Amino acid sequence: MNPPPDNAPSVEATGLTKVYGSGDTEVVAMKDVSLRVERGEVVALLGPSGAGKSTLLTALGLVNPPTSGRITIGGVPVMDGERALVNLAAFRRQHLGFVFQKANLIPFLNAVQNVQVALEINDVLPRAARKRALELLEYFEVADRAHHLPDALSGGQQQRVAVARALANHPSLILADEPTAALDSARGRQVMELFRKVAHERGAGVIVVTHDQRALDVFDRVVEMEDGKVRAGHKPG
Amino acid sequence: MNLAAQDIRHNVGRFVLTAVGIGLLLMLVLGMGGIYQGLVFEATQLVDDVGADLWVVQKNTRGPFAEVSRIPANVEYRLAAVPGVQRAQSFVAHTIQREYRGKPFRMFVQGLDWPEDNGQWLKLAAGRPLAQGHYEMIADQVLGLELGDQIPLGKDVFTVVGLTKGMASSSGDGMAFFTVRDALAVQFDVVGESARLEREARRSRAGSQDFGRVQPELLERAGGPSSTLPALATPLVSAILVKVAPGVDAASVSATVSAWPDVTVYTHEGQRQLLLRGNVDRARRQLGLFRVILVIVSTIIMALIIYTLTLDKTHDIAMLKLMGARNRVIVGLILQQALLLGALGYGIAYYIGQWLYPLFPRRVMITADDLWILAGIVVAISSLASLLGIAKALRVEPNKVLS
């Protein structure tokens, strides 16, 4: 796969539509959605339940192909409608990072192994993977819990490990679905600021689906969705 | 990093318990093979240990182990005169069941051709070979006798002077060795009243004939012990064993004796094959079928266990896929666990088997070949059992992690 051009946007989606079912049972979950996120930009995706936020996020995450529309990530065209233009698993491995409401850490791996596994999946040798995983945990200030299983970590610690895992392979796009929903406001804000720091320092685009209005000032831009469409995009505040 | 090993370490208790269950099943599979090997060993060990080159038996019979064979003991002298024969000796073998110390006492009686054969060739675990022509016996340990025990059989009492280990007949009865005369006495023992009635019947039959009426002395002889009557046949034995002289081809001696109209001859290998085909073959097929069923049951159980373990990890597998894990990472996780489960089960089967098999009432012999075959079976059923789990894992969609 060719390396993406440096000046390309982190992600560019054009005319995305997602239709579930057909005939009487047809549901349009997302209709003609276009979105562009630059490198280093942190975007909040707001909207009520059923607005199509998660559908958009999973389409951009290459796990739920749109019915129509195009997706380009880091300058590389990856989806044209339902047709994949690249090996999706390989592309996810190299260019995407995911964070969810639940940390979704693998329960039988300790904190450092949860980060290490993302690197080893991307063909980093075990020794180098472990070193980098420890560096990331250090960066996110959870290195002292590196050898604890997820069960032994607090919610905030788990979420920081999940963020470290999402960033392990230097993704050009990070997708987060309600990453602070399970955290108190202080911890939630801490995680949001973490995204901002990472986006600015590492040049990754970040899209965060959130209902949390308290930390919107952390974002560069807020995009609102309703009834499967982008209603408005504006600067926070 | 080995994901399979990490998962096992995290659930080590459940994994070990599962492996114990699999191990017990595999122990049964291994045991079936061991029981078969034990049957073969027990069936053939006497034929092998006696070391006869030829077995001469009653005409048109298959020998003393397959069916009743009765041959006059004096055939031994005829055979001894055949060129190339180094030694001929009587062989008596039969199973008896008596009562001893209030319990049923079953043993395979084997006659030794005293004084030429005193049981020197037996591998004794304790005691000594026979030292006199009567009233001594060598018993196998499986009979539960001890040196010096006095065993009443018929009208005589026999002293245990030697103990063998692991010598049993093809039906699993422990062996006991007597002189041929004692073995026959044990087999044909009749109580005094029966002997008296038989003698009276003989006297009555002779008295009804002319020669009995005109020769009172003959009438008197007819009522005497049967061993004093030249008109009665010599004792019958089960077979005559022939050892050919060094350098002599057993087949040439066999060809000579086969021409006799009253006997049938088998080579050592022929007698061995008769035993295996006759006594052991059906048991072999039965055990083989049972073994196949056990292997199938083990595979199904393993498949269900691996499938359940995979179901438990569906969310984690979805996460790995979302991170872009290749299929071989997912397949490796499940296959390695299945193989580790199989390997641990194999070790447990071997270990528990070593401890348990000696407690079985019949010999269970585990050979190196059996262990290799079981290892192959374990690899095969582990791989096969993992297919269901692998198929499930490969169908897991990465977006399942969002649900």
PDB file of all heavy atoms in Angstrom, chain B residues 18-39:
ATOM      1  N   THR B  18     -10.900 -28.984  32.589  1.00  0.00           N
ATOM      2  CA  THR B  18     -11.324 -29.492  31.279  1.00  0.00           C
ATOM      3  C   THR B  18     -10.328 -30.527  30.780  1.00  0.00           C
ATOM      4  O   THR B  18     -10.717 -31.586  30.261  1.00  0.00           O
ATOM      5  CB  THR B  18     -11.412 -28.327  30.266  1.00  0.00           C
ATOM      6  OG1 THR B  18     -12.208 -27.301  30.840  1.00  0.00           O
ATOM      7  CG2 THR B  18     -12.034 -28.771  28.961  1.00  0.00           C
ATOM      8  N   ALA B  19      -9.048 -30.211  30.961  1.00  0.00           N
ATOM      9  CA  ALA B  19      -8.010 -31.138  30.495  1.00  0.00           C
ATOM     10  C   ALA B  19      -8.075 -32.461  31.257  1.00  0.00           C
ATOM     11  O   ALA B  19      -7.817 -33.528  30.682  1.00  0.00           O
ATOM     12  CB  ALA B  19      -6.632 -30.499  30.655  1.00  0.00           C
ATOM     13  N   VAL B  20      -8.421 -32.401  32.547  1.00  0.00           N
ATOM     14  CA  VAL B  20      -8.548 -33.651  33.323  1.00  0.00           C
ATOM     15  C   VAL B  20      -9.660 -34.517  32.725  1.00  0.00           C
ATOM     16  O   VAL B  20      -9.509 -35.733  32.554  1.00  0.00           O
ATOM     17  CB  VAL B  20      -8.818 -33.337  34.816  1.00  0.00           C
ATOM     18  CG1 VAL B  20      -9.235 -34.592  35.566  1.00  0.00           C
ATOM     19  CG2 VAL B  20      -7.571 -32.744  35.458  1.00  0.00           C
ATOM     20  N   GLY B  21     -10.778 -33.861  32.390  1.00  0.00           N
ATOM     21  CA  GLY B  21     -11.887 -34.607  31.763  1.00  0.00           C
ATOM     22  C   GLY B  21     -11.463 -35.234  30.452  1.00  0.00           C
ATOM     23  O   GLY B  21     -11.704 -36.429  30.215  1.00  0.00           O
ATOM     24  N   ILE B  22     -10.800 -34.446  29.618  1.00  0.00           N
ATOM     25  CA  ILE B  22     -10.318 -34.962  28.336  1.00  0.00           C
ATOM     26  C   ILE B  22      -9.296 -36.081  28.594  1.00  0.00           C
ATOM     27  O   ILE B  22      -9.294 -37.122  27.928  1.00  0.00           O
ATOM     28  CB  ILE B  22      -9.648 -33.826  27.516  1.00  0.00           C
ATOM     29  CG1 ILE B  22     -10.671 -32.746  27.171  1.00  0.00           C
ATOM     30  CG2 ILE B  22      -8.974 -34.367  26.254  1.00  0.00           C
ATOM     31  CD1 ILE B  22     -11.674 -33.119  26.129  1.00  0.00           C
ATOM     32  N   GLY B  23      -8.442 -35.852  29.599  1.00  0.00           N
ATOM     33  CA  GLY B  23      -7.407 -36.840  29.927  1.00  0.00           C
ATOM     34  C   GLY B  23      -8.004 -38.175  30.325  1.00  0.00           C
ATOM     35  O   GLY B  23      -7.510 -39.236  29.925  1.00  0.00           O
ATOM     36  N   LEU B  24      -9.092 -38.140  31.105  1.00  0.00           N
ATOM     37  CA  LEU B  24      -9.722 -39.395  31.519  1.00  0.00           C
ATOM     38  C   LEU B  24     -10.302 -40.134  30.312  1.00  0.00           C
ATOM     39  O   LEU B  24     -10.210 -41.362  30.224  1.00  0.00           O
ATOM     40  CB  LEU B  24     -10.817 -39.122  32.555  1.00  0.00           C
ATOM     41  CG  LEU B  24     -10.295 -38.672  33.934  1.00  0.00           C
ATOM     42  CD1 LEU B  24     -11.448 -38.267  34.840  1.00  0.00           C
ATOM     43  CD2 LEU B  24      -9.471 -39.775  34.589  1.00  0.00           C
ATOM     44  N   LEU B  25     -10.884 -39.371  29.390  1.00  0.00           N
ATOM     45  CA  LEU B  25     -11.396 -40.000  28.165  1.00  0.00           C
ATOM     46  C   LEU B  25     -10.248 -40.632  27.365  1.00  0.00           C
ATOM     47  O   LEU B  25     -10.351 -41.764  26.892  1.00  0.00           O
ATOM     48  CB  LEU B  25     -12.100 -38.955  27.299  1.00  0.00           C
ATOM     49  CG  LEU B  25     -13.577 -38.724  27.575  1.00  0.00           C
ATOM     50  CD1 LEU B  25     -14.069 -37.522  26.796  1.00  0.00           C
ATOM     51  CD2 LEU B  25     -14.390 -39.948  27.186  1.00  0.00           C
ATOM     52  N   LEU B  26      -9.165 -39.866  27.243  1.00  0.00           N
ATOM     53  CA  LEU B  26      -8.013 -40.379  26.485  1.00  0.00           C
ATOM     54  C   LEU B  26      -7.406 -41.591  27.191  1.00  0.00           C
ATOM     55  O   LEU B  26      -6.885 -42.513  26.552  1.00  0.00           O
ATOM     56  CB  LEU B  26      -6.954 -39.290  26.300  1.00  0.00           C
ATOM     57  CG  LEU B  26      -7.370 -38.123  25.401  1.00  0.00           C
ATOM     58  CD1 LEU B  26      -6.281 -37.047  25.373  1.00  0.00           C
ATOM     59  CD2 LEU B  26      -7.634 -38.610  23.976  1.00  0.00           C
ATOM     60  N   MET B  27      -7.485 -41.579  28.524  1.00  0.00           N
ATOM     61  CA  MET B  27      -6.963 -42.731  29.272  1.00  0.00           C
ATOM     62  C   MET B  27      -7.746 -43.991  28.907  1.00  0.00           C
ATOM     63  O   MET B  27      -7.175 -45.079  28.800  1.00  0.00           O
ATOM     64  CB  MET B  27      -7.066 -42.460  30.763  1.00  0.00           C
ATOM     65  CG  MET B  27      -6.355 -43.477  31.613  1.00  0.00           C
ATOM     66  SD  MET B  27      -6.948 -43.461  33.295  1.00  0.00           S
ATOM     67  CE  MET B  27      -8.511 -44.271  33.124  1.00  0.00           C
ATOM     68  N   LEU B  28      -9.055 -43.831  28.712  1.00  0.00           N
ATOM     69  CA  LEU B  28      -9.870 -44.981  28.297  1.00  0.00           C
ATOM     70  C   LEU B  28      -9.464 -45.445  26.901  1.00  0.00           C
ATOM     71  O   LEU B  28      -9.356 -46.649  26.643  1.00  0.00           O
ATOM     72  CB  LEU B  28     -11.357 -44.622  28.312  1.00  0.00           C
ATOM     73  CG  LEU B  28     -11.984 -44.393  29.684  1.00  0.00           C
ATOM     74  CD1 LEU B  28     -13.453 -44.032  29.553  1.00  0.00           C
ATOM     75  CD2 LEU B  28     -11.847 -45.644  30.549  1.00  0.00           C
ATOM     76  N   VAL B  29      -9.227 -44.465  26.001  1.00  0.00           N
ATOM     77  CA  VAL B  29      -8.799 -44.822  24.643  1.00  0.00           C
ATOM     78  C   VAL B  29      -7.479 -45.589  24.707  1.00  0.00           C
ATOM     79  O   VAL B  29      -7.312 -46.637  24.065  1.00  0.00           O
ATOM     80  CB  VAL B  29      -8.639 -43.549  23.766  1.00  0.00           C
ATOM     81  CG1 VAL B  29      -8.086 -43.895  22.401  1.00  0.00           C
ATOM     82  CG2 VAL B  29      -9.975 -42.836  23.619  1.00  0.00           C
ATOM     83  N   LEU B  30      -6.545 -45.062  25.522  1.00  0.00           N
ATOM     84  CA  LEU B  30      -5.241 -45.712  25.674  1.00  0.00           C
ATOM     85  C   LEU B  30      -5.408 -47.085  26.324  1.00  0.00           C
ATOM     86  O   LEU B  30      -4.777 -48.068  25.919  1.00  0.00           O
ATOM     87  CB  LEU B  30      -4.327 -44.827  26.533  1.00  0.00           C
ATOM     88  CG  LEU B  30      -2.877 -45.247  26.682  1.00  0.00           C
ATOM     89  CD1 LEU B  30      -2.172 -45.209  25.331  1.00  0.00           C
ATOM     90  CD2 LEU B  30      -2.143 -44.327  27.659  1.00  0.00           C
ATOM     91  N   GLY B  31      -6.298 -47.145  27.322  1.00  0.00           N
ATOM     92  CA  GLY B  31      -6.525 -48.394  28.044  1.00  0.00           C
ATOM     93  C   GLY B  31      -7.078 -49.490  27.144  1.00  0.00           C
ATOM     94  O   GLY B  31      -6.699 -50.662  27.279  1.00  0.00           O
ATOM     95  N   MET B  32      -7.938 -49.105  26.204  1.00  0.00           N
ATOM     96  CA  MET B  32      -8.495 -50.098  25.273  1.00  0.00           C
ATOM     97  C   MET B  32      -7.371 -50.771  24.484  1.00  0.00           C
ATOM     98  O   MET B  32      -7.356 -51.989  24.309  1.00  0.00           O
ATOM     99  CB  MET B  32      -9.455 -49.423  24.286  1.00  0.00           C
ATOM    100  CG  MET B  32     -10.746 -48.983  24.898  1.00  0.00           C
ATOM    101  SD  MET B  32     -11.706 -50.372  25.464  1.00  0.00           S
ATOM    102  CE  MET B  32     -12.391 -49.689  26.940  1.00  0.00           C
ATOM    103  N   GLY B  33      -6.448 -49.935  24.016  1.00  0.00           N
ATOM    104  CA  GLY B  33      -5.288 -50.481  23.294  1.00  0.00           C
ATOM    105  C   GLY B  33      -4.461 -51.366  24.213  1.00  0.00           C
ATOM    106  O   GLY B  33      -3.990 -52.437  23.819  1.00  0.00           O
ATOM    107  N   GLY B  34      -4.308 -50.903  25.460  1.00  0.00           N
ATOM    108  CA  GLY B  34      -3.515 -51.657  26.430  1.00  0.00           C
ATOM    109  C   GLY B  34      -4.150 -52.992  26.775  1.00  0.00           C
ATOM    110  O   GLY B  34      -3.460 -54.008  26.936  1.00  0.00           O
ATOM    111  N   ILE B  35      -5.474 -53.005  26.875  1.00  0.00           N
ATOM    112  CA  ILE B  35      -6.176 -54.262  27.176  1.00  0.00           C
ATOM    113  C   ILE B  35      -5.979 -55.236  26.021  1.00  0.00           C
ATOM    114  O   ILE B  35      -5.724 -56.431  26.229  1.00  0.00           O
ATOM    115  CB  ILE B  35      -7.678 -53.988  27.434  1.00  0.00           C
ATOM    116  CG1 ILE B  35      -7.849 -53.263  28.766  1.00  0.00           C
ATOM    117  CG2 ILE B  35      -8.475 -55.287  27.439  1.00  0.00           C
ATOM    118  CD1 ILE B  35      -9.257 -52.741  29.017  1.00  0.00           C
ATOM    119  N   TYR B  36      -6.055 -54.723  24.792  1.00  0.00           N
ATOM    120  CA  TYR B  36      -5.836 -55.592  23.628  1.00  0.00           C
ATOM    121  C   TYR B  36      -4.413 -56.165  23.650  1.00  0.00           C
ATOM    122  O   TYR B  36      -4.225 -57.371  23.473  1.00  0.00           O
ATOM    123  CB  TYR B  36      -6.085 -54.817  22.330  1.00  0.00           C
ATOM    124  CG  TYR B  36      -5.596 -55.554  21.114  1.00  0.00           C
ATOM    125  CD1 TYR B  36      -6.195 -56.757  20.741  1.00  0.00           C
ATOM    126  CD2 TYR B  36      -4.522 -55.086  20.381  1.00  0.00           C
ATOM    127  CE1 TYR B  36      -5.734 -57.463  19.646  1.00  0.00           C
ATOM    128  CE2 TYR B  36      -4.048 -55.792  19.282  1.00  0.00           C
ATOM    129  CZ  TYR B  36      -4.660 -56.976  18.921  1.00  0.00           C
ATOM    130  OH  TYR B  36      -4.193 -57.682  17.853  1.00  0.00           O
ATOM    131  N   GLN B  37      -3.436 -55.295  23.893  1.00  0.00           N
ATOM    132  CA  GLN B  37      -2.048 -55.774  23.941  1.00  0.00           C
ATOM    133  C   GLN B  37      -1.890 -56.808  25.054  1.00  0.00           C
ATOM    134  O   GLN B  37      -1.162 -57.787  24.915  1.00  0.00           O
ATOM    135  CB  GLN B  37      -1.078 -54.614  24.171  1.00  0.00           C
ATOM    136  CG  GLN B  37      -1.046 -53.585  23.059  1.00  0.00           C
ATOM    137  CD  GLN B  37      -0.436 -54.127  21.782  1.00  0.00           C
ATOM    138  OE1 GLN B  37       0.090 -55.242  21.755  1.00  0.00           O
ATOM    139  NE2 GLN B  37      -0.526 -53.358  20.711  1.00  0.00           N
ATOM    140  N   GLY B  38      -2.577 -56.564  26.172  1.00  0.00           N
ATOM    141  CA  GLY B  38      -2.530 -57.508  27.284  1.00  0.00           C
ATOM    142  C   GLY B  38      -3.124 -58.851  26.900  1.00  0.00           C
ATOM    143  O   GLY B  38      -2.584 -59.915  27.247  1.00  0.00           O
ATOM    144  N   LEU B  39      -4.231 -58.809  26.149  1.00  0.00           N
ATOM    145  CA  LEU B  39      -4.868 -60.057  25.694  1.00  0.00           C
ATOM    146  C   LEU B  39      -3.907 -60.850  24.811  1.00  0.00           C
ATOM    147  O   LEU B  39      -3.753 -62.067  24.966  1.00  0.00           O
ATOM    148  CB  LEU B  39      -6.125 -59.727  24.864  1.00  0.00           C
ATOM    149  CG  LEU B  39      -7.410 -59.426  25.610  1.00  0.00           C
ATOM    150  CD1 LEU B  39      -8.536 -59.140  24.626  1.00  0.00           C
ATOM    151  CD2 LEU B  39      -7.798 -60.605  26.494  1.00  0.00           C
TER     152      LEU B  39
END
